[in-house]
Amino acid sequence: MASVTLNQVGKVYAGGFNAVKAISFDVPDGSFCVLVGPSGCGKSTLLRMVAGLETTTSGEIRIGGRRANELEPMERDIAFVFQNYALYPQMSVYDNMAYGLRNLKTPKAEIDARVREAAQILDLNDEILSRKPRALSGGQRQRVAMGRAIVRKPAAFLFDEPLSNLDAKLRVHMRVEIRKLQRRLQTTSLYVTHDQLEAMTMADMLVVMNDGRIEQIGAPLEVYNHPKSLFVAGFIGSPSMNFLEGIVVDSGVLQLADGQKLGFDAAKFSTASGQKIVAGVRPEQARLAEEGIDFNRELIEDLGSGRLIHGKVGGSDFTVLEGAVTAPLCQGKLQVAAEALHLFDAASGQRLSA
């Protein structure tokens, strides 16, 4: 096991496209770090630089305290799990898992012991070990790809959107299995995904990326409860945070575009009268009521365990998430507690603080 450290790591492609811009963070030994962001934000490029599959234009990568920039992928003591599994179709599952060890001239008895140990961990029986990849389900192929990584006993696992080709039910199952496996092995892991639900449920440490830069680093709940920017607030959370534009008209009072007013906790935010701000509200922190600001209901989605109520406040889309449904819907009004509001500067998009 080993820590992974990135210091001012950047990548500029031929033609001048700046894909990764001076990224710095440290993944402690044994941690599960998730890189999350929209497609094209640079997260997979960053992972491939850690793996040695892409060269770095600037900065330094250290794995287990050792500078890795000049090392070949095989010399970095990492194992990479690809999005498309990258299994050899002509080989059996057993041979796929043993392939890397054979290239390292590992003794045959040790190869067999490692493959069977990994197979037991991943619930791959002898019948599955004898099959070719084309005879496996998507979930089984993903387990084989992880098994090929496990047998190496690497210092770090790197995962590049490994669940994106699976159906929704299997994705849920496999993300639980990957997390349980990582906790059992205690291997430092970097995991790339654009799915913020995967990121929230799997990470010890969340790195939110946008346009080649880091927007925020922190524990999942820290990022969820205290987003540092409008981008993070809107990207992390499902359903997304609601946003309402307005102007501060008095201490602790925000006037919305349609003239309605919302109270906020003035002690939590440094604001000035006349300042344009954006107020964020999580869907689960708003509720329909007999009194409050006007809410024009447009659509209800029943989830079984609750319901999503879509509508508008002024001209802005707004979603309310209700838990177990025990009462009929109230009509036309919305209540938001002052302490539930997140405030952001309208010009910079950055979170306002005390």
Side-chain angles (χ1 to χ4, degrees):
M1 296 187 291
S3 63
V4 176
T5 300
L6 285 77
N7 184 21
Q8 297 294 301
V9 172
K11 177 67 177 181
V12 180
Y13 287 101
F17 174 60
N18 198 349
V20 175
K21 304 164 185 175
I23 295 288
S24 297
F25 62 87
D26 179 71
V27 184
D29 186 9
S31 293
F32 197 103
C33 173
V34 177
L35 307 178
V36 64
S39 297
C41 73
K43 56 190 184 295
S44 289
T45 300
L46 188 62
L47 192 75
R48 290 173 65 84
M49 286 194 285
V50 175
L53 302 176
E54 292 275 2
T55 58
T56 57
T57 304
S58 59
E60 183 180 62
I61 297 170
R62 302 186 76 87
I63 301 174
R66 180 177 61 154
R67 179 179 166 91
N69 293 50
E70 293 77 33
L71 299 178
E72 294 296 323
M74 287 293 290
E75 300 173 316
R76 299 192 182 203
D77 196 18
I78 53 92
F80 202 113
V81 179
F82 293 90
Q83 179 178 351
N84 61 356
Y85 319 130
L87 301 177
Y88 296 106
Q90 74 277 16
M91 294 183 183
S92 68
V93 166
Y94 183 101
D95 289 336
N96 265 282
M97 293 172 64
Y99 183 77
L101 295 178
R102 288 171 179 161
N103 283 348
L104 296 172
K105 311 299 183 186
T106 307
K108 186 175 181 180
E110 184 177 348
I111 290 175
D112 187 69
R114 287 202 198 180
V115 169
R116 296 196 179 280
E117 179 186 13
Q120 184 178 21
I121 291 171
L122 295 165
D123 195 24
L124 300 171
N125 58 34
D126 287 345
E127 193 270 329
I128 293 176
L129 288 176
S130 66
R131 293 186 196 172
K132 299 288 178 64
R134 63 177 175 271
L136 303 178
S137 68
Q140 288 171 331
R141 291 179 192 179
Q142 189 57 71
R143 291 207 300 274
V144 173
M146 288 190 291
R148 187 174 54 191
I150 292 170
V151 298
R152 296 265 314 279
K153 296 186 176 179
F157 289 137
L158 308 182
F159 297 89
D160 189 10
E161 306 214 37
L163 307 183
S164 60
N165 292 329
L166 304 181
D167 63 60
K169 183 177 180 180
L170 191 53
R171 283 178 71 124
V172 173
H173 174 73
M174 289 304 300
R175 79 175 185 232
V176 172
E177 291 303 312
I178 289 175
R179 197 63 178 98
K180 286 165 59 178
L181 176 64
Q182 190 273 336
R183 286 184 174 176
R184 174 176 176 176
L185 300 176
Q186 288 294 297
T187 305
T188 307
S189 300
L190 273 75
Y191 185 105
V192 161
T193 182
H194 65 272
D195 185 326
Q196 54 82 31
L197 185 59
E198 269 182 36
M200 285 290 297
T201 55
M202 297 180 75
D204 295 321
M205 169 184 175
L206 205 57
V207 178
V208 185
M209 293 184 62
N210 182 35
D211 191 28
R213 295 185 175 89
I214 291 177
E215 289 272 346
Q216 189 169 351
I217 298 176
L221 285 180
E222 176 190 346
V223 174
Y224 184 83
N225 290 323
H226 301 283
K228 290 185 176 180
S229 67
L230 280 170
F231 173 81
V232 175
F235 190 81
I236 298 297
S238 180
S240 297
M241 183 180 284
N242 300 296
F243 295 119
L244 299 171
E245 296 183 0
I247 298 176
V248 177
V249 293
D250 202 348
S251 177
V253 180
L254 174 67
Q255 182 173 293
L256 304 180
D258 63 354
Q260 299 189 87
K261 293 180 179 179
L262 273 178
F264 64 88
D265 188 348
K268 287 174 57 178
F269 304 102
S270 178
T271 61
S273 182
Q275 182 178 1
K276 293 182 179 181
I277 62 176
V278 178
V281 186
R282 293 286 182 197
E284 69 272 18
Q285 293 179 319
R287 68 185 185 91
L288 300 187
E290 298 295 339
E291 297 181 352
I293 60 174
D294 293 337
F295 176 70
N296 298 317
R297 192 173 76 218
E298 296 178 331
L299 178 69
I300 299 172
E301 291 182 299
D302 286 312
L303 307 176
S305 59
R307 58 192 173 193
L308 290 173
I309 306 157
H310 302 279
K312 288 188 183 295
V313 173
S316 301
D317 292 332
F318 201 103
T319 299
V320 178
L321 173 61
E322 288 192 340
V325 179
T326 58
L329 284 171
C330 295
Q331 296 294 324
K333 297 293 182 179
L334 188 71
Q335 285 191 352
V336 179
E339 60 271 18
L341 288 178
H342 303 260
L343 298 189
F344 305 89
D345 182 74
S348 68
Q350 296 302 300
R351 184 183 184 89
L352 297 175
S353 57

